[in-house]
Amino acid sequence: MHNKIFQNFLGRKGLKMTRERFAVLEEVFSAPSHFDPEQLYARIRASALKASRASVYRTLSLLVESGLVEKVSRSGRGNIYEHTYGRRHHDHMICDVCGEIIEFYSENLENLQLDICGSNNFEGMSHTLEIRGHCENCRD
Amino acid sequence: MHNKIFQNFLGRKGLKMTRERFAVLEEVFSAPSHFDPEQLYARIRASALKASRASVYRTLSLLVESGLVEKVSRSGRGNIYEHTYGRRHHDHMICDVCGEIIEFYSENLENLQLDICGSNNFEGMSHTLEIRGHCENCRD
DNA sequence: AGTCCAATTGAAATTAAATCTCAATTTCAG
DNA sequence: CTGAAATTGAGATTTAATTTCAATTGGACT
């Protein structure tokens, strides 16, 4: 469970599980899988378990470090995160018009990337592919 | 020549070629292919053909729209751009250890992405693929 | 349960990137 | 040349994220 995983991660780093970190953790995993930090902060302010903006940002970094959360996109102004626990890796299409995010996964694409890394003697450890354009509803 | 291309682009949009836009254009194409807007602005301040920060940002948007420049995603704070005139589209591998950037291009990869867009009824207009890991020199 | 101390917190200030405002200036079509 | 429309720049503003630091808290160890 994400709770336990984060706990262990903190333990390994000599950090403490505080009520604020717990609040952020809970909110992240009850939020839609994609979210931005300010949305998250607003939700937390409105919830029972509060945390300050500073703590939200600080905890978010820890969650990324722990692997429970990933930073997804940098195409707009701020960052977008996604909680990834128990979910398979995937990439994203983002509609420039309405902002919709479509997730996709392609085995072929993954293999092709492995090949490309191989022929460059590069040890790929993670990647982000973001395709921008117009979604089904927004194309004329 | 990028000069003429930008001129035409502006013409098509009913915009004017000003000395400031020219200054930005020139500096973009004499800069290293990857740059960030503040670097660019600093270079322009130091050059003969000046332009304000506002004009630098405004012109940069136009250059992206014209296709002469692309926004390259990055993990830090601000954006990174790259001038692409006369250069084929490519993606990037970034070494987490030494920061080296390796450019690569794969026809198969491009086609595969077209397929994926097609099957999602998505009109892909641009994409960014960033593979992070260890380069040849930094592995092991 | 109590002590201790490093880790943590929050409010507010700060940094940083990018955009906006608007009076003055410039471009360029006619 | 002229004039309307586009553009500019200085500085204010917005937005995202980080930093500061005195006060508080978690939890290891008795």
Side-chain angles (χ1 to χ4, degrees), chain B residues 17-106:
Chain B
M17 174 53 100
T18 62
R19 72 175 111 273
E20 289 80 5
R21 284 176 181 158
F22 184 74
V24 174
L25 181 67
E26 286 301 293
E27 202 55 47
V28 161
F29 282 91
S30 63
S33 78
H34 297 92
F35 60 90
D36 72 64
E38 292 295 323
Q39 271 170 15
L40 184 69
Y41 174 53
R43 290 173 55 113
I44 286 173
R45 297 222 74 184
S47 81
L49 301 161
K50 320 242 183 258
S52 69
R53 171 180 281 107
S55 286
V56 170
Y57 278 97
R58 287 187 288 228
T59 304
L60 218 33
S61 296
L62 291 172
L63 286 169
V64 169
E65 213 186 323
S66 78
L68 287 168
V69 166
E70 278 179 23
K71 194 187 280 191
V72 172
S73 100
R74 92 156 159 173
S75 14
R77 271 283 214 106
N79 292 317
I80 289 193
Y81 294 83
E82 163 177 59
H83 61 78
T84 47
Y85 174 65
R87 312 190 65 217
R88 183 173 61 174
H89 161 78
H90 56 261
D91 295 298
H92 302 271
M93 297 182 202
I94 301 181
C95 178
D96 290 332
V97 180
C98 68
E100 198 195 355
I101 298 180
I102 300 164
E103 300 181 346
F104 67 90
Y105 175 80
S106 156

Side-chain angles (χ1 to χ4, degrees), chain A:
Chain A
M1 208 232 200
H2 49 255
N3 200 321
K4 202 66 201 154
I5 295 176
F6 194 43
Q7 193 95 247
N8 289 341
F9 167 79
L10 293 174
R12 255 178 284 123
K13 300 208 55 163
L15 304 178
K16 295 167 181 175
M17 173 54 100
T18 63
R19 74 175 109 272
E20 288 81 6
R21 283 176 181 157
F22 184 74
V24 174
L25 180 68
E26 286 301 294
E27 203 55 48
V28 161
F29 281 91
S30 62
S33 78
H34 297 95
F35 59 91
D36 72 63
E38 291 296 325
Q39 273 170 12
L40 185 69
Y41 174 55
R43 290 173 56 111
I44 287 173
R45 298 221 74 183
S47 80
L49 301 162
K50 319 240 182 263
S52 68
R53 172 178 281 108
S55 286
V56 170
Y57 278 97
R58 287 188 286 228
T59 304
L60 219 32
S61 296
L62 291 172
L63 286 168
V64 169
E65 212 186 324
S66 78
L68 287 167
V69 166
E70 276 179 25
K71 195 187 280 190
V72 163
S73 162
R74 269 227 36 93
S75 54
R77 269 288 213 105
N79 292 317
I80 292 189
Y81 293 83
E82 160 177 63
H83 60 78
T84 47
Y85 176 66
R87 312 188 65 217
R88 182 174 62 173
H89 160 78
H90 54 262
D91 294 298
H92 300 95
M93 298 182 201
I94 301 182
C95 177
D96 290 333
V97 180
C98 68
E100 198 195 354
I101 298 179
I102 299 163
E103 301 182 348
F104 67 89
Y105 175 79
S106 157
E107 197 69 44
N108 288 340
L109 191 73
E110 300 296 317
N111 289 332
L112 195 44
Q113 287 185 50
L114 287 179
D115 291 351
I116 294 168
C117 285
S119 51
N120 282 276
N121 265 316
F122 190 86
E123 186 187 358
M125 314 201 46
S126 68
H127 71 261
T128 326
L129 170 59
E130 186 179 303
I131 304 181
R132 291 168 299 276
H134 301 337
C135 75
E136 195 160 17
N137 298 323
C138 298
R139 55 198 302 190
D140 306 337

